[in-house]
Structure formats: structure tokens, C-alpha cells
Amino acid sequence: MAEHTAIINAAGQLRRAIEGGGEEAVHAAADTLAGLLHPHTAAEEVGLFSVMRREEQFTEHISDLCSEHTELDERLAAVRAGDHAAYPAFEHLLRQHIDREDNGLFPAAAIALDGPDWAEVEQTTPPAP
């Protein structure tokens, strides 16, 4: 969840760059955000998501979250490429996505997973950058 806070803070920096920092500032802020977002989503997918996906009750939700990861990447790339009007939709999706994880999936994982599952999550999740 701490990574989510850093990602939201970086998104705010991108918003401020779009509002008045110029293209160089937008590129730098978008690159910073991507540098936080990409490793985070990849780690979720190979760690926690892969373990939770085995339970049928979570497979559809996990698939939706993975699709959102791809959509977030695409929207962020569009903003970086100059489509600044796409930023509000990106930020809305980002915040909604994080809310779904923090207040839905993560609490469900705390209930559904047991010791060996968590050990596997730990073993398969790459360390944060």
C-alpha cells in the first residue's frame, strides 16, 4: 500500500506538470510515475495475483485488475506523448484501481490466503525498486 501512496503522489506531480510545467516537466513526471507504476504492477501480477488467481472466486476480479494495469500503461503513454486531455481519465482510473485493490482485493487476500500461500507470494514477488 505504501507503493500506492508513492504512485498517487507521482500522479499529482504529473498533473501539476501538465497544468504549467511544460513538455520537459511532463515527460520527467510521466517517466517518474511509470518508473513506480510498471514495477509495482508487474510485481503484483507475478506475486499476489498469480496465487489468488488459483481460487475461482478471484479469477475474474484478478483478470479485471490486470486489464486495468494494461489500460493504465496505455493511458500514461498517451499523456506522455502529448495527449494531456487524457490525464483526468488516467487519474480517475488509477485512483479507482488502487481503491479496488486496497479496499477489496487486499482485505480478501488477508482472509483467503494461508501461510504457504503468503510464503509463495513472498518468494515470487520481486523486491520494490
Side-chain angles (χ1 to χ4, degrees), residues 3-78:
E3 290 176 21
H4 284 167
T5 300
I7 289 166
I8 289 296
N9 289 339
Q13 291 172 346
L14 177 56
R15 181 181 352 95
R16 288 186 291 282
I18 290 168
E19 292 170 349
E23 277 311 299
E24 191 173 307
V26 169
H27 289 170
D31 291 346
T32 297
L33 178 53
L36 295 169
L37 188 60
H38 297 299
H40 173 78
T41 58
E44 285 179 332
E45 290 180 15
V46 299
L48 179 64
F49 287 12
S50 67
V51 173
M52 289 192 76
R53 184 178 293 247
R54 292 185 204 136
E55 297 292 326
E56 187 176 336
Q57 64 185 347
F58 299 120
T59 55
E60 184 176 341
H61 191 69
I62 296 291
S63 292
D64 289 345
L65 291 171
C66 289
S67 293
E68 288 176 4
H69 287 170
T70 300
E71 186 176 354
L72 286 164
D73 290 343
E74 292 168 355
R75 288 181 185 219
L76 180 56

